[in-house]
Amino acid sequence: MTKTLTTLLLVAGVLSGCTLAPHYDRPEPPVAVAYPAAPEGYAASEVKTGETRRASDIGWREFFRDPRLQSLIATAIDNNRDLRTAALRIEEARAQYQVQRADLLPTVNANASYQRGQFSSLSVAPGAGGAQTFTGSVYQVGLGISQYELDFFGRVRSLSNAALAQYFSTEEARRAAHISLVSEVAKAYLSERALAEQYDIARDTLAARQSTYDLAKRRFDAGATSALDLRDNESLVAQARVSAAQLARQRAQAQNALEVLVGKPIAEIADLPAPMKLSDERIISDIPEGLPSDLLEQRPDIRQAEQQLLSANANIGAARAAFFPRITLTSNAGTISPSFSGLFDAGTKTWSFAPSLVLPIFDTGRNLSNLDLANVRKRIEIANYEKTIQTAFSEVADALVARGTLEEQVAGQEQQRNAEAARFELSRMRFRSGVASYLDELDAQRQLFNAEQALVQARQLRLVNAIDLYRALGGGLNETAPQ
């Protein structure tokens, strides 16, 4: 009996390695073989460091040189609730996979029972003479296997493979969430810093314009200037006051958004370094983009979508196996005796072996519908996989196109700011010399303020674009360069 059972289990284990799932072929990426060219005149990007490593090989501490930003990212990784949820999802998927995998092997249970009642002597002592009835007790102990499915057609194996792919998918989702968190913290930090610099400019401008207005008011009271000049000064003061109030509000909101990502108030982070100016930020901006096909391995969200596709493909195998017979095995071996002390005496051994076969004949189309459903879900996952690749391709292409143009935009904006600053000084000198009217100085002051604000915004855009390219190419998962 034991040899027969062992042989059946070995045969079942060998056959269960095969499934009826379709052969998996990775879909062709629905994107071009190369990224689109940059706008005419901006084809060559600025190469500063000669960087040749992939984004995934550059740790975020190396990519972000700002010590304050490094501390914020490290704190966010430890405290962010979304990242915690993603990690717990992995534990959930691992447990589900282990539950499903357990069905591949038989479950052996120990059992013990006691009965008191009227019995037949044949049921207790099969080898005795004629049947007699008696009132007494029956003790029974043994080991048993209950409803173990001999997976000849790979149904259980397919379900296990589907659960394994779901587990891998959840792990990739956590990696994608980690990369997204690093980039979002960096962009939120740059947003807060840009608004802080713009607010400082607006506050300084307000103080300067208020001083100029006070001087104009005294000159007007003395009859040296017209009411028009006074009202122009008053308008500039009001504009600066409005800008300062708007920027103060926006900066506070940006800091709130940053603290949500970090997971705790910034004031509670110990030994937080002082912030750097945007002009002093040194973020790697010349990461090589490689080929679009490289994204399949670099981006965890693409790998996540492919694991979802593999899971759907495995579920087709389980749906196909439902059309074939399902063979289950129930067996038990032990001893039975009318007295507890005689459980292990000679002649008390019992065993049972009860295989069963269920062949679907008429199920009102249930199995066929389940197979259709599995095939449709696979096609949905193929579409999702292709869409994820297209999105990744678009993100990299947009960042590459913007890289050269933003470098040029910042250079042009710096030139304009310098020109407006020189113009303001010349206008002030001309007014004091009596060569030009005061309106020229007011206009130059207004244009200088706009140019300084625009320069801060351009620098922020350039840095954010570098972060977007880093994330789009799969960077931000590792703290330091992988060994």
Side-chain angles (χ1 to χ4, degrees), residues 156-339:
V156 178
R157 173 66 63 178
S158 294
L159 293 175
S160 178
N161 291 341
L164 179 61
Q166 288 290 341
Y167 165 54
F168 289 150
S169 172
T170 310
E171 174 64 29
E172 296 297 347
R174 187 202 62 82
R175 294 190 178 102
H178 187 287
I179 289 175
S180 178
L181 176 63
V182 170
S183 65
E184 290 302 318
V185 169
K187 291 195 290 186
Y189 171 74
L190 292 179
S191 176
E192 188 272 336
R193 286 290 85 213
L195 289 168
E197 291 187 19
Q198 289 178 281
Y199 172 70
D200 290 340
I201 293 172
R203 188 177 55 185
D204 294 342
T205 301
L206 175 59
R209 289 181 180 180
Q210 184 65 51
S211 177
T212 303
Y213 172 76
D214 294 340
L215 177 61
K217 182 68 168 57
R218 290 193 296 269
R219 289 170 60 86
F220 173 76
D221 293 339
T225 59
S226 65
L228 179 61
D229 289 343
L230 179 64
R231 296 312 172 194
D232 283 337
N233 272 282
E234 185 179 6
S235 176
L236 286 178
V237 171
Q239 291 176 13
R241 181 174 291 110
V242 170
S243 296
Q246 290 177 339
L247 291 168
R249 180 182 68 254
Q250 292 171 356
R251 179 191 178 185
Q253 292 173 340
Q255 181 163 334
N256 291 339
L258 178 59
E259 289 182 346
V260 170
L261 291 171
V262 172
K264 64 186 301 184
I266 295 177
E268 296 181 4
I269 301 177
D271 302 325
L272 189 63
M276 297 174 59
K277 296 181 67 66
L278 294 184
S279 57
D280 296 331
E281 292 285 354
R282 295 293 179 264
I283 293 179
I284 300 174
S285 60
D286 55 344
I287 301 174
E289 65 273 16
L291 298 175
S293 58
D294 295 337
L295 293 177
L296 303 183
E297 303 300 331
Q298 296 175 5
R299 295 265 302 223
D301 56 339
I302 295 179
R303 298 197 298 267
Q304 176 191 359
E306 185 172 19
Q307 290 297 332
Q308 294 281 3
L309 175 56
L310 286 168
S311 178
N313 190 74
N315 281 327
I316 294 178
R320 287 178 174 177
F323 289 90
F324 294 89
R326 182 178 301 182
I327 303 173
T328 58
L329 174 64
T330 300
S331 62
N332 187 74
T335 64
I336 185 172
S337 172
S339 64

